[in-house]
Structure formats: C-alpha cells, structure tokens
Amino acid sequence: MNHLDSIMAYNQTFVEEKKYEKYLTTKFPDKKMVVLTCMDTRLIDLLPRAMNLRNGDAKIIRNAGAIVTQPFGNIMRSILVALYELNATEVFVVGHHECGMTGLNAANILDKAQSNGVEEKTIQALRHAGIDLERWLTGFDNVTQGVMKSVQIIKNHPLLPAGTPVHGLIISPETGKLDVLVNGYE
C-alpha cells in the first residue's frame, strides 16, 4: 500500500471513531503566540512539548531553518495574519542546533536539480528573470545568525504592531533544551 492509500485508510477510521474530538479547539491560539520554527522532523512533537504547548495554544509556522528571508514574503505575511486576525500578541523564532540550513550551498541544490531533470536553460531563464537563486537557496553560517536575522526582520517590519515582543530561541533537537538569544520583553 502506498503512503496516500495508507493515510486515507487510517483517516477513515480516525473520523469514524471520532478520534479527532480530543483535538477540538478554535482557530485562535489560547496562549496568543505565533511560533516560527524549522520543519526538521525531530521538532514535530519535541518543540511543542519543550515549550509546554498543546493543540490550540499557538500558531506554528514551519519552514526550512525558521528563516524570514524577506520582509514581504509568505512567512512574514503569516506572522502578520496571526497577529492581526488570529489574536496572537507575541512572536517566537525558534531555530535548532544541527540545522540543515547551516552552510546550505545553492550551487549544490542547483546541481541536484539538474541531475533530477531540471534543464540548465530553465535555471538560466530564472536568472534572466531577475531571480537571485543563490540568495533564495541559501541558509546561514550558524543557527544563532539565522535566528537573529529573522528576529531583526520581524522586529523592524513596518506593519508589526507596536510593542509586539519578538523572541529568539534555539532548541536542542535531542533534549528539547531551549536557550534564549533575544528576550522580546526587554
């Protein structure tokens, strides 16, 4: 059985047996938090438990590296929606040790894209269209730098509600230990 068929078979039982009931909540985060974190599989269950978050407590946005690369991209838009429309009042940027975005090399990704069938002319067309693939496909030198840069972009956004605390943390993907880099209350 493939993954989709397996998921759909499980889902049918999940719904029929009303296993969803323990997850019922509203769209508004109970702890009024929005968390930007990495998509790393080690953090799926660990991060909420390490932060004492249950279903419904926070809006959690995940991407590669917990990075805000541009102030007017999808991540920042999601943060602003959480703050203005979903009653969140503070932002947590949580990076992690051993992140795959550390030292990410755009050239390596583009080489792999080509070996998977993306033609060089497509890459060149993107460059001619003004897309800076090296900037877009880059990570950071270290997780501290990545978190600090994302915190700064969020804190300095012209549409961020005045007085919104923006925190920066790093989590251990093994133990769940959190270290504060930026205390947004100070």
Side-chain angles (χ1 to χ4, degrees), residues 71-95:
F72 294 97
N74 292 338
I75 299 300
M76 193 65 215
R77 179 182 62 213
S78 295
I79 291 168
L80 291 171
V81 167
L83 293 168
Y84 282 110
E85 295 294 321
L86 302 172
N87 300 334
T89 58
E90 57 190 297
V91 180
F92 290 77
V93 177
V94 185

Side-chain angles (χ1 to χ4, degrees), residues 56-140:
D57 281 347
K59 293 295 178 188
I60 299 179
I61 302 165
R62 296 181 186 274
N63 74 356
I67 299 174
V68 179
T69 54
Q70 51 187 310
F72 294 97
N74 292 338
I75 299 300
M76 193 65 215
R77 179 182 62 213
S78 295
I79 291 168
L80 291 171
V81 167
L83 293 168
Y84 282 110
E85 295 294 321
L86 302 172
N87 300 334
T89 58
E90 57 190 297
V91 180
F92 290 77
V93 177
V94 185
H96 67 94
H97 299 290
E98 302 167 21
C99 184
M101 293 298 283
T102 304
L104 185 72
N105 184 313
N108 289 343
I109 293 175
L110 294 173
D111 287 345
K112 289 176 183 177
Q114 285 184 294
S115 68
N116 281 283
V118 175
E119 296 181 18
E120 174 65 26
K121 68 180 182 179
T122 300
I123 293 170
Q124 290 308 317
L126 292 170
R127 286 194 168 110
H128 291 310
I131 297 171
D132 183 348
L133 294 172
E134 283 67 27
R135 181 176 178 267
W136 186 64
L137 292 172
T138 195
F140 39 73

Side-chain angles (χ1 to χ4, degrees), residues 11 28 95 150 163 183:
N11 181 257
F28 301 103
S150 292
N183 178 337

Side-chain angles (χ1 to χ4, degrees), residues 9 19 22 32 42 59 71 85 98 104 117 151 166:
K19 292 182 180 179
K22 69 180 182 179
K32 300 187 180 295
R42 297 172 291 179
K59 293 295 178 188
E85 295 294 321
E98 302 167 21
L104 185 72
V151 166
V166 181

